[in-house]
Amino acid sequence: QVQLVESGGGLVQPGGSLRLSCAASRSILGIVVMAWYRQAPGKQRELVATITSGGNTNYADSVKGRFIISKDNAKNTVYLQMNSLKPEDTAVYYCNAPSSGWYPWGQGTQVTVSS
């Protein structure tokens, strides 16, 4: 099984930026879709952004225009650049591969947006 490790979260003020990283234990070159999800306490996990093996991206309406998903196949890593952060972006962020039926979920990385 592929292991996924998220990092890069932290505490930021509204309007600030963070870049999250998702490091995979093996090649992600052949994975059709990689995705970022987030989950706040008491809420269901929601899809934030996706990127295909061909580089095509899609975003949830709530983050469109503010977040950018990208990947570096050579580093087996997927990134999520988060700009203009809002308090409602506060959540634990996870990455996974929905096209692969999802690998075991990692621990996620906490993003807290607060003044």
Side-chain angles (χ1 to χ4, degrees), residues 73-115:
N73 291 328
K75 297 182 181 294
N76 297 334
T77 300
V78 182
Y79 303 96
L80 185 68
Q81 177 67 47
M82 306 186 296
N83 301 313
S84 302
L85 284 161
K86 304 175 180 180
E88 50 262 47
D89 295 319
T90 295
V92 178
Y93 284 70
Y94 303 86
C95 64
N96 219 311
S99 61
S100 301
W102 295 279
Y103 295 111
W105 295 97
Q107 294 299 306
T109 185
Q110 176 73 51
V111 172
T112 302
V113 184
S114 177
S115 59

Side-chain angles (χ1 to χ4, degrees), residues 44-62:
Q44 66 180 40
R45 182 179 288 117
E46 66 173 333
L47 180 64
V48 175
T50 63
I51 184 166
T52 70
S53 58
N56 192 35
T57 60
N58 286 100
Y59 301 90
D61 288 340
S62 59

